[in-house]
Coordinates of all heavy atoms in Angstrom, one line a residue:
M720 N 14.8 -2.2 -1.5 CA 15.7 -1.8 -0.4 C 16.2 -3.1 0.2 O 17.4 -3.3 0.4 CB 14.9 -1.0 0.6 CG 14.4 0.3 0.0 SD 13.6 1.3 1.2 CE 15.1 2.3 1.8
C721 N 15.3 -4.0 0.6 CA 15.7 -5.2 1.3 C 14.4 -6.1 1.4 O 13.3 -5.6 1.3 CB 16.3 -5.0 2.7 SG 15.1 -4.5 4.0
P722 N 14.6 -7.4 1.7 CA 13.4 -8.2 1.9 C 12.7 -7.7 3.2 O 13.3 -7.4 4.2 CB 14.0 -9.6 2.1 CG 15.3 -9.6 1.4 CD 15.8 -8.2 1.6
F723 N 11.4 -7.7 3.2 CA 10.6 -7.3 4.4 C 11.0 -8.1 5.6 O 11.1 -7.5 6.7 CB 9.1 -7.4 4.1 CG 8.2 -7.1 5.2 CD1 8.0 -5.8 5.6 CD2 7.6 -8.2 5.9 CE1 7.1 -5.6 6.7 CE2 6.7 -7.9 7.0 CZ 6.5 -6.6 7.3
D724 N 11.2 -9.4 5.4 CA 11.5 -10.2 6.6 C 12.8 -9.9 7.3 O 13.0 -10.3 8.4 CB 11.5 -11.7 6.1 CG 10.2 -12.2 5.8 OD1 9.2 -11.6 6.1 OD2 10.1 -13.3 5.2
E725 N 13.7 -9.1 6.6 CA 14.9 -8.7 7.3 C 14.7 -7.6 8.2 O 15.6 -7.3 9.1 CB 16.0 -8.3 6.2 CG 16.6 -9.5 5.4 CD 17.7 -9.0 4.5 OE1 18.1 -7.8 4.6 OE2 18.1 -9.9 3.7
L726 N 13.6 -6.9 8.1 CA 13.3 -5.8 9.1 C 12.8 -6.4 10.3 O 11.9 -7.2 10.3 CB 12.3 -4.8 8.5 CG 12.7 -4.1 7.2 CD1 11.5 -3.2 6.7 CD2 14.0 -3.2 7.4
V727 N 13.4 -5.9 11.4 CA 13.0 -6.4 12.8 C 11.9 -5.5 13.3 O 12.0 -4.2 13.4 CB 14.2 -6.4 13.7 CG1 13.8 -6.9 15.1 CG2 15.3 -7.3 13.1
H728 N 10.8 -6.1 13.7 CA 9.7 -5.4 14.3 C 10.1 -4.5 15.4 O 10.9 -4.9 16.3 CB 8.7 -6.4 14.8 CG 7.6 -5.9 15.7 ND1 6.6 -5.1 15.2 CD2 7.4 -6.0 17.0 CE1 5.8 -4.7 16.2 NE2 6.3 -5.2 17.3
G729 N 9.7 -3.3 15.3 CA 9.9 -2.3 16.5 C 11.3 -1.7 16.4 O 11.7 -1.1 17.4
T730 N 12.0 -1.8 15.3 CA 13.3 -1.2 15.2 C 13.4 -0.4 13.9 O 12.6 -0.6 13.0 CB 14.4 -2.2 15.2 OG1 14.3 -3.1 14.1 CG2 14.4 -3.0 16.5
A731 N 14.4 0.5 13.8 CA 14.7 1.2 12.7 C 16.0 0.8 12.0 O 16.9 0.4 12.7 CB 14.8 2.8 13.0
R732 N 16.1 0.9 10.7 CA 17.2 0.5 10.0 C 17.5 1.6 9.0 O 16.7 2.1 8.3 CB 17.0 -0.8 9.3 CG 18.2 -1.3 8.5 CD 18.0 -2.8 8.1 NE 18.9 -3.1 7.0 CZ 18.8 -4.2 6.3 NH1 18.0 -5.1 6.7 NH2 19.6 -4.4 5.3
R733 N 18.8 2.0 8.9 CA 19.3 3.1 8.0 C 19.6 2.5 6.7 O 20.3 1.5 6.5 CB 20.5 3.7 8.6 CG 21.1 4.8 7.8 CD 22.1 5.6 8.5 NE 23.0 6.3 7.6 CZ 24.0 7.1 8.1 NH1 24.1 7.3 9.4 NH2 24.7 7.8 7.2
F734 N 19.2 3.3 5.6 CA 19.5 3.0 4.2 C 20.1 4.3 3.7 O 19.5 5.4 3.8 CB 18.3 2.6 3.4 CG 17.8 1.2 3.8 CD1 16.9 1.0 4.8 CD2 18.3 0.1 3.1 CE1 16.4 -0.2 5.1 CE2 17.8 -1.2 3.5 CZ 16.9 -1.3 4.5
D735 N 21.3 4.2 3.1 CA 21.9 5.3 2.4 C 21.8 5.1 0.9 O 22.1 4.0 0.3 CB 23.4 5.4 2.7 CG 23.6 5.8 4.2 OD1 23.6 4.9 5.1 OD2 23.6 7.0 4.4
G736 N 21.2 6.1 0.2 CA 21.1 6.0 -1.3 C 21.8 7.2 -1.9 O 22.5 7.9 -1.3
D737 N 21.5 7.4 -3.2 CA 22.1 8.4 -4.0 C 21.4 9.7 -3.6 O 20.3 10.1 -4.1 CB 21.9 8.1 -5.5 CG 22.7 9.1 -6.3 OD1 23.6 9.7 -5.8 OD2 22.5 9.1 -7.5
G738 N 22.0 10.5 -2.7 CA 21.4 11.8 -2.3 C 20.4 11.7 -1.2 O 19.7 12.7 -0.9
Y739 N 20.2 10.6 -0.6 CA 19.2 10.5 0.5 C 19.7 9.5 1.6 O 20.6 8.7 1.3 CB 17.8 10.1 0.0 CG 17.8 8.7 -0.5 CD1 17.5 7.6 0.3 CD2 18.0 8.5 -1.9 CE1 17.4 6.3 -0.2 CE2 17.9 7.2 -2.5 CZ 17.7 6.1 -1.6 OH 17.6 4.9 -2.2
R740 N 19.1 9.7 2.8 CA 19.5 8.9 3.9 C 18.1 8.7 4.6 O 17.5 9.6 5.1 CB 20.4 9.6 4.8 CG 21.2 8.8 5.8 CD 22.3 9.7 6.4 NE 21.9 10.1 7.7 CZ 22.5 11.0 8.5 NH1 23.6 11.6 8.0 NH2 22.1 11.3 9.7
V741 N 17.8 7.4 4.8 CA 16.4 7.1 5.2 C 16.5 6.2 6.4 O 17.3 5.2 6.4 CB 15.6 6.5 4.0 CG1 14.2 6.1 4.5 CG2 15.5 7.5 2.9
A742 N 15.5 6.3 7.4 CA 15.3 5.4 8.4 C 14.1 4.7 8.1 O 13.0 5.3 7.9 CB 15.2 6.1 9.7
V743 N 14.1 3.4 7.9 CA 13.0 2.5 7.7 C 12.6 1.7 9.0 O 13.5 1.1 9.6 CB 13.3 1.5 6.5 CG1 12.2 0.6 6.3 CG2 13.7 2.3 5.2
V744 N 11.4 1.9 9.3 CA 10.9 1.3 10.5 C 9.8 0.3 10.3 O 8.9 0.6 9.5 CB 10.4 2.4 11.5 CG1 9.8 1.8 12.8 CG2 11.5 3.4 11.8
R745 N 9.9 -0.9 10.9 CA 8.8 -1.9 10.8 C 8.1 -1.9 12.1 O 8.7 -2.1 13.2 CB 9.4 -3.2 10.5 CG 8.3 -4.3 10.5 CD 8.9 -5.6 10.1 NE 7.8 -6.7 10.3 CZ 8.0 -8.0 10.1 NH1 9.2 -8.4 9.7 NH2 7.0 -8.9 10.2
I746 N 6.7 -1.8 12.0 CA 5.9 -2.0 13.2 C 4.8 -3.0 12.7 O 4.0 -2.8 11.9 CB 5.2 -0.7 13.7 CG1 6.3 0.3 14.2 CG2 4.2 -1.0 14.8 CD1 5.8 1.6 14.6
A747 N 5.0 -4.2 13.3 CA 4.2 -5.4 12.9 C 4.2 -5.5 11.3 O 5.3 -5.7 10.8 CB 2.7 -5.2 13.4
D748 N 3.1 -5.4 10.6 CA 3.1 -5.6 9.2 C 3.2 -4.3 8.4 O 3.1 -4.3 7.2 CB 1.9 -6.3 8.7 CG 1.9 -7.8 9.2 OD1 2.9 -8.3 9.4 OD2 0.7 -8.3 9.4
D749 N 3.4 -3.2 9.2 CA 3.5 -1.9 8.6 C 5.0 -1.5 8.4 O 5.8 -1.7 9.3 CB 2.7 -0.8 9.3 CG 1.2 -1.2 9.3 OD1 0.7 -1.6 8.2 OD2 0.6 -1.0 10.3
V750 N 5.3 -0.7 7.4 CA 6.6 -0.2 7.2 C 6.5 1.4 7.0 O 5.7 1.8 6.2 CB 7.3 -0.8 5.9 CG1 8.8 -0.3 5.8 CG2 7.3 -2.3 6.0
Y751 N 7.4 2.1 7.6 CA 7.5 3.5 7.4 C 8.9 3.9 7.0 O 9.9 3.3 7.4 CB 7.2 4.2 8.7 CG 5.8 3.8 9.3 CD1 5.8 2.7 10.2 CD2 4.7 4.5 9.0 CE1 4.5 2.2 10.7 CE2 3.5 4.0 9.5 CZ 3.4 2.9 10.4 OH 2.2 2.5 10.8
A752 N 9.0 5.1 6.3 CA 10.3 5.5 5.9 C 10.4 7.1 6.1 O 9.5 7.8 5.5 CB 10.6 5.2 4.4
I753 N 11.3 7.5 6.9 CA 11.4 9.0 7.2 C 12.9 9.3 7.0 O 13.8 8.5 7.0 CB 10.9 9.4 8.6 CG1 11.9 8.8 9.6 CG2 9.5 9.0 8.8 CD1 11.6 9.3 11.1
G754 N 13.1 10.6 6.7 CA 14.5 11.1 6.6 C 15.3 10.7 7.9 O 14.8 10.9 9.0
D755 N 16.4 10.2 7.7 CA 17.2 9.7 8.8 C 17.9 10.8 9.6 O 18.2 10.5 10.8 CB 18.2 8.7 8.3 CG 19.1 8.1 9.4 OD1 18.5 7.4 10.2 OD2 20.3 8.4 9.5
R756 N 18.0 12.0 9.0 CA 18.7 13.0 9.8 C 17.8 13.8 10.6 O 16.8 14.4 10.1 CB 19.5 13.9 8.7 CG 20.3 15.0 9.3 CD 21.0 15.7 8.1 NE 22.1 15.0 7.5 CZ 22.1 14.5 6.3 NH1 21.1 14.8 5.5 NH2 23.1 13.8 5.8
C757 N 18.0 13.9 11.9 CA 17.1 14.7 12.8 C 17.2 16.1 12.3 O 18.2 16.6 11.9 CB 17.7 14.5 14.2 SG 16.7 15.5 15.4
S758 N 16.0 16.7 12.4 CA 15.9 18.1 11.9 C 16.6 19.2 13.0 O 16.7 20.3 12.6 CB 14.5 18.5 11.7 OG 13.7 18.5 12.9
H759 N 16.9 18.7 14.1 CA 17.6 19.5 15.1 C 19.1 19.6 14.9 O 19.7 20.6 15.0 CB 17.3 19.1 16.5 CG 17.8 19.9 17.6 ND1 18.6 19.4 18.6 CD2 17.7 21.2 17.8 CE1 18.9 20.5 19.4 NE2 18.3 21.6 18.9
A760 N 19.7 18.4 14.6 CA 21.2 18.4 14.3 C 21.4 17.1 13.5 O 20.5 16.3 13.4 CB 21.9 18.3 15.6
D761 N 22.6 16.9 13.0 CA 22.9 15.8 12.1 C 23.1 14.5 12.9 O 24.2 14.1 13.2 CB 24.1 16.1 11.3 CG 24.4 15.0 10.2 OD1 23.5 14.1 10.1 OD2 25.4 15.1 9.6
V762 N 22.0 14.0 13.4 CA 22.1 12.8 14.2 C 21.1 11.7 13.5 O 20.0 12.1 13.0 CB 21.5 13.0 15.7 CG1 21.4 11.7 16.4 CG2 22.5 13.9 16.3
S763 N 21.6 10.5 13.5 CA 20.8 9.5 12.8 C 19.6 9.0 13.6 O 19.8 8.5 14.7 CB 21.7 8.3 12.5 OG 21.0 7.2 11.8
L764 N 18.4 9.2 13.0 CA 17.2 8.8 13.7 C 17.0 7.3 13.8 O 16.4 6.7 14.6 CB 15.9 9.4 13.1 CG 15.8 10.9 13.2 CD1 14.5 11.4 12.5 CD2 15.8 11.3 14.7
S765 N 17.7 6.5 12.9 CA 17.6 5.1 12.9 C 18.3 4.5 14.1 O 18.2 3.3 14.4 CB 18.2 4.5 11.6 OG 19.6 4.8 11.4
E766 N 19.1 5.3 14.8 CA 19.7 4.8 16.1 C 18.8 5.0 17.3 O 19.1 4.6 18.3 CB 21.0 5.5 16.3 CG 22.1 5.2 15.2 CD 23.4 6.0 15.5 OE1 23.7 6.4 16.6 OE2 24.1 6.2 14.5
G767 N 17.6 5.6 17.0 CA 16.7 6.0 18.1 C 15.8 4.8 18.5 O 15.7 3.8 17.7
L768 N 15.1 5.1 19.5 CA 14.1 4.1 20.0 C 12.8 4.3 19.4 O 12.2 5.4 19.3 CB 14.0 4.3 21.6 CG 13.3 3.2 22.4 CD1 14.2 2.0 22.3 CD2 13.2 3.7 23.8
V769 N 12.2 3.2 18.9 CA 10.9 3.2 18.3 C 9.8 2.9 19.3 O 9.9 2.0 20.1 CB 10.8 2.1 17.1 CG1 9.4 2.0 16.6 CG2 11.8 2.5 16.0
D770 N 8.8 3.8 19.3 CA 7.6 3.6 20.1 C 6.5 3.1 19.3 O 5.9 3.8 18.5 CB 7.2 4.9 20.8 CG 6.1 4.7 21.9 OD1 5.1 3.9 21.5 OD2 6.2 5.2 23.0
E771 N 6.2 1.8 19.4 CA 5.2 1.2 18.5 C 3.8 1.7 18.7 O 3.1 1.9 17.8 CB 5.2 -0.4 18.7 CG 6.5 -1.0 18.5 CD 6.7 -2.3 19.2 OE1 5.7 -3.0 19.5 OE2 7.9 -2.6 19.6
G772 N 3.5 2.0 20.0 CA 2.1 2.5 20.2 C 1.9 3.9 19.7 O 0.8 4.2 19.2
D773 N 2.9 4.8 19.9 CA 2.7 6.1 19.4 C 3.2 6.3 17.9 O 2.9 7.4 17.4 CB 3.6 7.1 20.2 CG 3.0 7.3 21.6 OD1 1.9 6.9 21.8 OD2 3.8 7.8 22.5
C774 N 3.8 5.3 17.3 CA 4.3 5.3 16.0 C 5.3 6.4 15.8 O 5.1 7.3 14.9 CB 3.1 5.4 15.0 SG 3.5 4.9 13.3
T775 N 6.3 6.5 16.7 CA 7.3 7.5 16.6 C 8.7 6.9 16.8 O 8.8 5.7 17.2 CB 7.1 8.5 17.8 OG1 7.2 7.8 19.0 CG2 5.8 9.2 17.7
V776 N 9.7 7.7 16.4 CA 11.1 7.3 16.8 C 11.7 8.5 17.5 O 11.4 9.7 17.2 CB 11.9 7.0 15.5 CG1 12.0 8.2 14.5 CG2 13.2 6.5 15.8
E777 N 12.5 8.2 18.5 CA 13.1 9.2 19.4 C 14.5 9.4 19.0 O 15.3 8.4 19.0 CB 12.9 8.7 20.9 CG 13.5 9.7 21.8 CD 13.4 9.2 23.3 OE1 12.5 8.4 23.5 OE2 14.2 9.6 24.1
C778 N 14.9 10.6 18.8 CA 16.3 11.0 18.6 C 17.1 10.7 19.8 O 16.7 11.1 20.9 CB 16.4 12.4 18.2 SG 18.1 13.0 17.9
I779 N 18.3 10.0 19.6 CA 19.1 9.6 20.7 C 19.8 10.8 21.4 O 20.3 10.7 22.5 CB 20.1 8.6 20.3 CG1 21.1 9.0 19.2 CG2 19.5 7.2 20.0 CD1 22.2 8.1 19.0
K780 N 20.0 11.9 20.6 CA 20.8 13.0 21.1 C 20.1 13.8 22.2 O 20.6 14.1 23.3 CB 21.2 13.9 19.9 CG 22.1 15.0 20.2 CD 23.5 14.6 20.4 CE 24.5 15.7 20.5 NZ 25.8 15.3 20.7
H781 N 18.9 14.4 21.8 CA 18.2 15.3 22.7 C 16.8 14.8 23.0 O 16.0 15.5 23.7 CB 18.2 16.7 22.3 CG 19.5 17.3 22.0 ND1 19.9 17.7 20.7 CD2 20.6 17.5 22.8 CE1 21.2 18.1 20.8 NE2 21.6 18.0 22.0
G782 N 16.3 13.7 22.4 CA 15.0 13.1 22.8 C 13.8 13.6 22.1 O 12.7 13.2 22.4
S783 N 14.0 14.4 21.0 CA 12.7 14.7 20.3 C 12.2 13.4 19.6 O 13.0 12.6 19.2 CB 13.1 15.7 19.1 OG 13.2 17.0 19.7
T784 N 10.9 13.3 19.6 CA 10.3 12.2 19.0 C 9.6 12.7 17.7 O 9.0 13.8 17.6 CB 9.2 11.6 19.8 OG1 8.3 12.5 20.3 CG2 9.9 10.9 21.1
F785 N 9.7 11.9 16.6 CA 9.1 12.2 15.3 C 8.0 11.2 14.9 O 8.3 10.0 15.1 CB 10.2 12.2 14.2 CG 11.2 13.3 14.4 CD1 12.3 13.1 15.3 CD2 11.0 14.5 13.8 CE1 13.2 14.1 15.5 CE2 11.9 15.5 14.0 CZ 13.1 15.3 14.8
D786 N 6.9 11.7 14.5 CA 5.8 10.8 14.0 C 6.3 10.1 12.7 O 6.7 10.8 11.8 CB 4.6 11.7 13.8 CG 3.3 10.8 13.6 OD1 3.4 9.9 12.7 OD2 2.4 10.9 14.3
L787 N 6.2 8.8 12.7 CA 6.6 8.1 11.5 C 5.7 8.3 10.3 O 6.1 8.0 9.2 CB 6.7 6.6 11.8 CG 7.8 6.2 12.9 CD1 7.6 4.8 13.3 CD2 9.2 6.5 12.4
R788 N 4.5 8.7 10.6 CA 3.5 8.9 9.4 C 3.6 10.2 8.8 O 3.4 10.4 7.6 CB 2.1 8.6 10.0 CG 1.8 7.3 10.5 CD 0.7 7.2 11.4 NE 1.1 7.9 12.7 CZ 0.4 7.7 13.9 NH1 -0.6 6.9 14.0 NH2 0.8 8.4 14.9
T789 N 4.0 11.2 9.6 CA 4.0 12.6 9.1 C 5.4 13.2 9.1 O 5.6 14.2 8.4 CB 3.1 13.5 9.9 OG1 3.6 13.6 11.3 CG2 1.7 12.9 10.0
G790 N 6.3 12.7 9.9 CA 7.7 13.3 10.0 C 7.7 14.5 11.0 O 8.7 15.1 11.3
K791 N 6.5 14.8 11.5 CA 6.5 16.0 12.4 C 7.0 15.7 13.8 O 6.7 14.6 14.4 CB 5.1 16.5 12.6 CG 4.5 17.0 11.3 CD 3.1 17.6 11.5 CE 2.5 18.1 10.3 NZ 1.1 18.4 10.3
P792 N 7.8 16.6 14.4 CA 8.3 16.4 15.8 C 7.2 16.5 16.8 O 6.2 17.3 16.6 CB 9.3 17.5 15.9 CG 8.9 18.6 15.0 CD 8.2 17.9 13.8
Q793 N 7.2 15.6 17.7 CA 6.2 15.6 18.8 C 6.6 16.3 20.1 O 5.9 16.4 21.0 CB 5.7 14.2 19.1 CG 5.3 13.4 17.8 CD 4.1 14.0 17.2 OE1 3.0 14.0 17.7 NE2 4.2 14.5 15.9
S794 N 7.9 16.5 20.1 CA 8.5 17.1 21.3 C 9.7 17.9 21.0 O 10.4 17.7 20.0 CB 8.9 16.0 22.4 OG 9.7 15.1 21.8
L795 N 10.1 18.9 21.8 CA 11.3 19.8 21.6 C 12.5 18.9 21.9 O 12.4 17.9 22.6 CB 11.1 21.0 22.5 CG 10.0 21.9 22.2 CD1 9.8 23.0 23.2 CD2 10.2 22.5 20.8
P796 N 13.7 19.4 21.5 CA 14.0 20.7 20.9 C 13.7 20.8 19.4 O 13.8 21.9 18.8 CB 15.4 20.9 21.2 CG 16.0 19.5 21.2 CD 14.9 18.6 21.8
A797 N 13.5 19.7 18.7 CA 13.3 19.8 17.2 C 11.9 20.5 17.0 O 10.9 20.2 17.7 CB 13.3 18.4 16.6
T798 N 11.9 21.3 16.0 CA 10.7 22.0 15.7 C 10.3 21.8 14.2 O 9.1 22.1 13.9 CB 10.8 23.6 15.9 OG1 11.9 24.0 15.2 CG2 11.0 23.8 17.4
R799 N 11.2 21.4 13.4 CA 10.9 21.2 12.0 C 10.7 19.7 11.7 O 11.4 18.9 12.3 CB 12.1 21.8 11.1 CG 12.1 23.3 11.1 CD 13.3 23.8 10.5 NE 14.5 23.5 11.2 CZ 15.5 22.7 10.8 NH1 15.5 22.2 9.6 NH2 16.6 22.5 11.5
P800 N 9.8 19.4 10.7 CA 9.6 18.0 10.4 C 10.8 17.4 9.6 O 11.5 18.2 9.0 CB 8.3 18.0 9.5 CG 8.3 19.4 8.9 CD 8.9 20.2 10.0
V801 N 10.8 16.1 9.6 CA 11.8 15.4 8.6 C 10.9 14.9 7.5 O 9.7 14.7 7.7 CB 12.5 14.2 9.4 CG1 13.4 14.8 10.4 CG2 11.6 13.3 10.0
P802 N 11.5 14.6 6.4 CA 10.7 14.2 5.2 C 10.2 12.7 5.5 O 10.8 11.9 6.2 CB 11.6 14.2 4.0 CG 13.0 14.3 4.6 CD 12.9 14.9 6.0
V803 N 9.0 12.5 4.9 CA 8.5 11.1 4.9 C 8.5 10.6 3.4 O 8.3 11.4 2.5 CB 7.2 10.9 5.5 CG1 7.2 11.2 7.0 CG2 6.2 11.8 4.9
F804 N 8.6 9.3 3.2 CA 8.7 8.7 1.9 C 7.7 7.6 1.7 O 7.3 6.9 2.7 CB 10.1 8.1 1.6 CG 11.2 9.1 1.8 CD1 11.9 9.3 2.9 CD2 11.5 10.0 0.7 CE1 12.9 10.2 3.1 CE2 12.5 11.0 0.8 CZ 13.2 11.1 2.0
E805 N 7.2 7.5 0.5 CA 6.3 6.4 0.2 C 7.0 5.1 0.2 O 8.1 5.0 -0.4 CB 5.7 6.6 -1.2 CG 4.6 7.7 -1.3 CD 3.3 7.2 -1.0 OE1 3.0 6.0 -1.2 OE2 2.5 8.1 -0.6
V806 N 6.5 4.2 1.0 CA 7.2 2.9 1.1 C 6.1 1.7 1.1 O 5.0 1.9 1.7 CB 8.2 2.8 2.2 CG1 7.4 2.8 3.6 CG2 9.1 1.6 2.2
R807 N 6.4 0.7 0.4 CA 5.4 -0.4 0.4 C 6.2 -1.8 0.2 O 7.4 -1.8 -0.1 CB 4.4 -0.3 -0.7 CG 5.0 -0.3 -2.1 CD 3.9 -0.2 -3.1 NE 3.2 1.1 -3.0 CZ 3.3 2.1 -3.9 NH1 4.0 1.9 -5.0 NH2 2.8 3.3 -3.8
V808 N 5.5 -2.8 0.5 CA 6.1 -4.2 0.4 C 5.5 -4.8 -0.9 O 4.2 -4.9 -1.1 CB 5.7 -5.1 1.6 CG1 6.3 -6.4 1.4 CG2 6.3 -4.4 2.8
R809 N 6.4 -5.1 -1.8 CA 5.9 -5.7 -3.1 C 6.7 -7.0 -3.3 O 8.0 -7.0 -3.3 CB 6.2 -4.7 -4.3 CG 5.7 -5.2 -5.6 CD 6.0 -4.2 -6.7 NE 5.5 -2.9 -6.4 CZ 6.1 -1.8 -6.8 NH1 7.2 -1.9 -7.6 NH2 5.7 -0.6 -6.5
D810 N 6.0 -8.1 -3.4 CA 6.6 -9.4 -3.6 C 7.6 -9.7 -2.6 O 8.7 -10.3 -2.8 CB 7.3 -9.5 -5.0 CG 6.3 -9.4 -6.2 OD1 5.1 -9.8 -6.0 OD2 6.6 -8.9 -7.2
G811 N 7.3 -9.3 -1.3 CA 8.2 -9.6 -0.2 C 9.4 -8.6 0.0 O 10.2 -8.8 0.9
L812 N 9.5 -7.6 -1.0 CA 10.6 -6.7 -0.9 C 10.0 -5.3 -0.5 O 8.9 -4.9 -0.9 CB 11.2 -6.5 -2.3 CG 12.0 -7.8 -2.8 CD1 12.5 -7.5 -4.2 CD2 13.2 -8.1 -1.8
V813 N 10.8 -4.6 0.3 CA 10.5 -3.2 0.7 C 10.9 -2.3 -0.5 O 12.0 -2.3 -0.9 CB 11.2 -2.8 2.0 CG1 10.8 -1.4 2.4 CG2 10.8 -3.8 3.1
V814 N 9.9 -1.6 -1.0 CA 10.2 -0.7 -2.1 C 9.8 0.8 -1.7 O 8.8 1.0 -1.1 CB 9.3 -1.1 -3.3 CG1 9.5 -0.1 -4.5 CG2 9.6 -2.5 -3.7
M815 N 10.8 1.7 -2.0 CA 10.5 3.1 -1.6 C 10.5 4.0 -2.9 O 11.2 3.8 -3.8 CB 11.6 3.6 -0.7 CG 11.4 4.9 -0.1 SD 12.7 5.5 1.0 CE 13.9 6.0 -0.3
E816 N 9.5 4.9 -2.9 CA 9.4 5.8 -4.0 C 10.3 7.0 -3.6 O 10.1 7.6 -2.6 CB 8.0 6.3 -4.2 CG 7.0 5.2 -4.3 CD 7.1 4.4 -5.6 OE1 7.6 5.0 -6.6 OE2 6.7 3.2 -5.6
V817 N 11.2 7.4 -4.4 CA 12.1 8.6 -4.2 C 11.8 9.6 -5.3 O 11.9 9.2 -6.5 CB 13.6 8.2 -4.2 CG1 14.4 9.5 -4.0 CG2 13.8 7.2 -3.1
A818 N 11.3 10.7 -5.0 CA 10.9 11.7 -6.0 C 12.2 12.4 -6.6 O 13.2 12.4 -6.0 CB 10.1 12.8 -5.3
Ligands
LIG2235 S1 19.8 16.2 17.5 FE1 17.9 15.2 17.5 S2 16.8 16.3 19.1 FE2 18.7 17.3 19.0

């Protein structure tokens, strides 16, 4: 996807691929990848605020927060999870598994 060093700690970055749209978040040395589209409406989660302590990202539209590890919403109005993807750092590059 990109070199790990290009990801800024505590922020989300959007990646568009063939049939998917992903928000990749770096928190310290960890990387998370979740579906970029909020499950409440078509809003990009990568524009949201990352909470490093709670490991969540907040949707900018109505404020639902999503757990970066599970994709589950932690607050309303979103009630459905967003997908999560396997992501790892290999040889300094962020690599995502897409099923
Ligand atoms: S669009 Fe994301 S919470 Fe409403």
Side-chain angles (χ1 to χ4, degrees):
M720 302 184 85
C721 74
F723 175 73
D724 289 346
E725 285 186 7
L726 297 178
V727 178
H728 167 70
T730 65
R732 180 168 158 186
R733 177 174 162 172
F734 289 88
D735 291 87
D737 191 15
Y739 64 90
R740 199 172 101 191
V741 176
V743 175
V744 177
R745 174 180 175 182
I746 297 177
D748 290 335
D749 296 320
V750 184
Y751 305 89
I753 66 171
D755 181 63
R756 185 175 286 114
C757 180
S758 63
H759 184 236
D761 187 7
V762 173
S763 178
L764 292 178
S765 60
E766 295 178 24
L768 197 64
V769 172
D770 186 314
E771 301 156 27
D773 288 345
C774 202
T775 58
V776 63
E777 179 180 337
C778 178
I779 58 169
K780 185 79 172 182
H781 304 116
S783 283
T784 55
F785 293 86
D786 191 305
L787 296 169
R788 297 157 293 201
T789 65
K791 292 181 180 170
Q793 306 297 297
S794 57
L795 295 171
T798 57
R799 290 173 290 118
V801 295
V803 292
F804 302 95
E805 287 273 333
V806 68
R807 63 178 63 110
V808 179
R809 186 183 304 149
D810 297 330
L812 295 175
V813 179
V814 178
M815 189 179 77
E816 310 287 337
V817 180

